[in-house]
Amino acid sequence: ITPASMTIVFLSITIGTIMTMSSSNWLMAWIGLELNMLAILPIISKPKTTRASEATTKYFLTQAIASAMMLLSSTINVWQTGNWSILELKNKFSTTIMALSLMMKMGAAPIHFWLPEVLQGTTLQTALLITTWQKIAPITLMYMISNNIQPTILVSAGILSMIIGGLGGINQTQLRKMMAYSSINNLGWTITIMAFSPNMALMNIFTYIIMITPIFLMMTNMSTKTLQNLSTTWTTSMTMTLSIALLMLSTSGLPPFTGFMPKMLILNELISQKLTTLATLAI
């Protein structure tokens, strides 16, 4: 791929996300997401391997299904209300379908199966792009319709994402798959609190993006792809290995680190909403 075509691809990804975030119309938001999805496909398939081709196909199919669901939801809503506005999503069926399509785009449970496989089949830089930038647009849309989504749906998906993210990462030796399950787990926290405090959900996801970016950049710098690689890097770069270890502890939400702050605030909000059982489950 030439530098000029890569520039066009990255520009399209950026424009697609910005278009979705700034639109008040479902059709424009959908076009932004489509542009974003089509632009990242050449990046995923850049390594000329069968794994990369497989990852590209899986990513394309899941995102295309999610886009179709999104279009179906907004069309049904237009039939009911006669309005394309994002904030006017009043129909319960439409809202449920839209929430599921956005969860599918983000890679939240129970529609998370594509995320670990796609990350494993691509490079660390592309994995960073998928786990950070690609989540911004769907989360913005979910933030905008959060008042209309039934809390039960968000809380159920959130708790399921936390459980699957936590358990799925235990049995992994591949770092990219571990980061995928870490992303699913964090999305669980974000989606759960989205039902009660959308601003806190945004703070949580952006804190996570700030923490996960240096982890991926350091892993790229050291060419570490498995836990075995990571266990031997301390001989060549002790500072970087220590930094990755501390950042991983931070993303898991251990008390003295930055990652603990949004989780503590989320638990506090859940308890103040008389959802103590839910807070206990989250812990």
Side-chain angles (χ1 to χ4, degrees):
I1 300 174
T2 60
S5 57
M6 282 306 280
T7 308
I8 293 165
V9 163
F10 279 110
L11 202 61
S12 299
I13 290 171
T14 312
I15 291 167
T17 302
I18 292 167
M19 192 190 288
T20 303
M21 287 171 73
S22 57
S23 65
S24 60
N25 182 299
W26 276 122
L27 214 52
M28 288 304 292
W30 176 77
I31 290 166
L33 284 169
E34 285 294 291
L35 178 65
N36 191 302
M37 182 256 285
L38 291 170
I40 202 173
L41 294 177
I43 300 174
I44 301 172
S45 62
K46 195 183 174 188
K48 297 289 176 273
T49 59
T50 48
R51 288 302 299 273
S53 304
E54 188 187 330
T56 311
T57 310
K58 282 177 179 172
Y59 185 83
F60 172 72
L61 289 173
T62 47
Q63 295 295 318
I65 293 164
S67 293
M69 285 168 67
M70 189 179 166
L71 207 54
L72 170 72
S73 165
S74 50
T75 308
I76 292 168
N77 189 62
V78 170
W79 282 339
Q80 295 284 322
T81 62
N83 199 332
W84 278 103
S85 172
I86 290 175
L87 300 174
E88 293 296 319
L89 194 71
K90 304 293 183 191
N91 185 289
K92 273 190 177 181
F93 177 71
S94 293
T95 313
T96 308
I97 297 288
M98 185 62 73
L100 285 170
S101 74
L102 292 174
M103 285 172 202
M104 196 174 190
K105 280 208 167 283
M106 287 185 273
I111 326 163
H112 67 283
F113 304 102
W114 63 271
L115 188 62
E117 296 300 319
V118 170
L119 291 203
Q120 188 54 37
T122 188
T123 61
L124 284 163
Q125 295 98 315
T126 312
L128 168 64
L129 194 63
I130 293 167
T131 48
T132 54
W133 184 260
Q134 292 299 95
K135 284 187 171 45
I136 295 171
I139 279 174
T140 308
L141 287 175
M142 191 173 268
Y143 173 83
M144 290 169 84
I145 64 165
S146 58
N147 291 334
N148 299 327
I149 306 173
Q150 289 166 292
T152 320
I153 295 165
L154 288 176
V155 169
S156 304
I159 292 293
L160 196 60
S161 294
M162 284 182 206
I163 295 165
I164 288 170
L167 296 176
I170 294 170
N171 200 29
Q172 299 299 329
T173 54
Q174 295 288 335
L175 288 173
R176 279 167 295 181
K177 278 196 175 180
M178 280 180 72
M179 299 317 286
Y181 282 109
S182 164
S183 173
I184 293 164
N185 179 273
N186 186 265
L187 276 173
W189 285 88
T190 307
I191 291 168
T192 303
I193 199 61
M194 188 73 81
F196 310 104
S197 176
N199 290 335
M200 205 175 284
L202 281 191
M203 184 199 70
N204 180 57
I205 197 71
F206 283 116
T207 307
Y208 181 74
I209 287 170
I210 290 163
M211 289 186 297
I212 204 173
T213 305
I215 294 177
F216 269 113
L217 293 174
M218 282 189 276
M219 287 197 306
T220 308
N221 191 31
M222 295 192 293
S223 300
T224 49
K225 289 178 181 176
T226 63
L227 277 175
Q228 193 178 1
N229 292 153
L230 199 61
S231 63
T232 56
T233 50
W234 68 272
T235 51
T236 52
S237 180
M238 197 171 179
T239 314
M240 220 173 259
T241 311
L242 188 65
S243 301
I244 287 180
L246 292 173
L247 279 163
M248 281 184 169
L249 288 172
S250 183
T251 54
S252 63
L254 240 67
F257 302 106
T258 315
F260 174 66
M261 179 193 63
K263 286 185 171 60
M264 182 186 70
L265 291 171
I266 288 169
L267 289 172
N268 183 50
E269 180 67 27
L270 289 174
I271 291 163
S272 67
Q273 294 276 356
K274 305 286 189 292
L275 295 162
T276 317
T277 316
L278 198 58
T280 315
L281 263 173
I283 294 166

